[in-house]
Amino acid sequence: MNAHFRFGPATGIGSMPGGDAREAARTVAGSFEDFPFLAELPARGPGADMIGRTAGMLVELYARVEPSGWRLGDRPGRDTRRAVSWLREDLDALEEATQGFEGQLKVQAVGPWSLAAALELRGGEAVLSDPGACRDLAASLAEGLRLHLAEVQRRVPGAQVVLQLDEPSLTAVLRGRVRSASGYRTYRAVDRQVVEATLREAAGVHDGGPVVVHSCAPDVPFALLRRAGATAVSFDFSLLTERDDEAIGEAVEAGTRLFAGVVPGTDTALSDPAGSVMGVRTLWRRLGLRPDLLAEAVTVTPACGLAGASPAYARQALAHCVRAARSLADNPE
């Protein structure tokens, strides 16, 4: 895994508001000339949500929507077909909006552990409850990601594809906090080494290419993600505490990129761009890191996906990320 890969200064997380794939692709490509991403539009309904979309990428495993959520079944049904067709529509829109593009392009999928926490087995319990099922799911996901990455590369040949694994439930999986189907108990914590090995396998499908792991939950396990082969870690900056300082300092020194989520994901009045990255500068001083490392080590993003924002705010937030990143590069002190 190339730790010293040069990432763009700003990008988005993944989800965007609305249901128009072409408009979303144009907005993203127009906002981030050097680091666009494949937009996800969950407002379209089941199959366009992050779990359904990733379930549609699985190889030889199929999921359908039940009242309780996504459940594995025996064969591809309407829900799988819908997920596949929406992803195709998004890829068509991306291909159209990035004609002749050369540079970094990010695609997102749910990582193996958050997927295992969200998908149900036939009996209704989470895949997470069964170690064998977790292994099968991780293998199916790895195969699906390999095919997806190849498809993106074929459609946008000038792109250097960056894979983002969304792991919002990772800390809950490590701490035994994922609730069972009944809600009355929680599943046993998964051994850290098993979690790390499975993530390493998922990151490994991108054959030497850059992999970002994203979590907008508190207590992101920075050291574990670094060991698992993440080139970068994406997180909600407002949830950091001084307890995270040491792990962040070590990550930066080891060449891990920080995707700092500093721009709120839902409609709000935005401060000036320099104000948005003030916390990042303060963290840098606290860690005693060189100011000139800032632009090399940090990519500015929204705090989380923008699915809950208005279209006007989403456009504003993406433009704000670009300006905030410029402010970091121009005035690292």
Side-chain angles (χ1 to χ4, degrees), residues 9 47 71 84 168 279 293:
R71 183 172 297 185
V84 169
L293 257 182

Side-chain angles (χ1 to χ4, degrees), residues 118 131 163 174 330:
L163 171 64
L174 287 165
D330 294 348

Side-chain angles (χ1 to χ4, degrees), residues 95-331:
E95 187 176 353
E96 204 174 284
T98 55
Q99 289 293 316
F101 172 76
E102 288 186 4
Q104 292 151 19
L105 168 67
K106 184 167 69 69
V107 297
Q108 306 81 220
V110 180
W113 293 108
S114 296
L115 199 59
L119 281 181
E120 298 173 356
L121 295 165
R122 289 176 183 82
E125 290 298 342
V127 169
L128 192 62
S129 64
D130 178 337
C134 285
R135 282 193 295 274
D136 291 346
L137 180 63
S140 168
L141 175 64
E143 198 45 49
L145 288 174
R146 212 170 270 125
L147 295 170
H148 180 51
L149 290 166
E151 170 74 357
V152 172
Q153 195 69 72
R154 187 182 67 71
R155 286 169 175 264
V156 192
Q160 179 168 29
V161 183
V162 174
L163 171 64
Q164 174 178 307
L165 296 171
D166 290 319
E167 280 286 8
S169 306
L170 188 59
T171 303
V173 167
L174 287 165
R175 297 198 175 162
R177 290 188 185 155
V178 177
R179 296 212 158 277
S180 66
S182 65
Y184 293 126
R185 55 188 183 82
T186 51
Y187 297 115
R188 262 217 321 268
V190 181
D191 181 88
R192 293 184 84 82
Q193 282 165 319
V194 174
V195 169
E196 189 184 314
T198 305
L199 283 168
R200 190 176 300 114
E201 194 182 305
V205 306
H206 195 17
D207 216 18
V211 177
V212 183
V213 179
H214 166 71
S215 169
C216 45
D219 299 321
V220 174
F222 287 93
L224 182 147
L225 294 175
R226 201 177 83 228
R227 289 195 305 271
T231 327
V233 180
S234 165
F235 55 96
D236 178 344
F237 193 83
S238 70
L239 298 177
L240 286 186
T241 67
E242 295 198 12
R243 280 204 314 270
D244 297 304
D245 278 10
E246 196 180 330
I248 288 181
E250 283 170 6
V252 171
E253 278 165 0
T256 307
R257 182 87 175 189
L258 303 179
F259 279 40
V262 295
V263 178
T266 48
D267 292 40
T268 185
L270 291 171
S271 68
D272 68 304
S276 295
V277 285
M278 198 151 57
V280 180
R281 290 197 185 91
T282 306
L283 169 72
W284 230 244
R285 280 198 294 275
R286 211 165 62 219
L287 295 175
L289 292 165
R290 296 200 326 270
D292 58 332
L293 257 182
L294 259 176
E296 272 177 50
V298 176
T299 292
V300 176
T301 71
C304 219
L306 294 168
S310 67
Y313 176 79
R315 279 193 298 276
Q316 202 187 337
L318 298 184
H320 194 82
C321 288
V322 174
R323 287 197 295 271
R326 199 169 300 136
S327 153
L328 261 192
D330 294 348
N331 314 303

Side-chain angles (χ1 to χ4, degrees), residues 11-97:
T11 190
I13 297 296
S15 67
M16 292 285 286
D20 184 333
R22 277 201 170 81
E23 189 188 339
R26 275 198 302 269
T27 298
V28 168
S31 304
F32 302 113
E33 284 157 21
D34 43 12
F35 199 179
F37 59 94
L38 174 63
E40 301 169 0
L41 302 172
R44 292 178 297 195
D49 61 302
M50 105 186 183
I51 299 297
R53 185 185 189 87
T54 305
M57 291 180 194
L58 297 173
V59 173
E60 291 181 2
L61 282 181
Y62 311 104
R64 60 174 189 274
V65 180
E66 295 286 338
S68 53
W70 285 88
R71 183 172 297 185
L72 293 175
D74 298 321
R75 52 186 174 276
R78 191 184 58 213
D79 300 321
T80 307
R81 283 194 295 273
R82 193 184 294 133
V84 169
S85 114
W86 269 328
L87 179 57
R88 194 176 307 123
E89 189 181 300
D90 294 336
L91 286 167
D92 289 345
L94 175 80
E95 187 176 353
E96 204 174 284

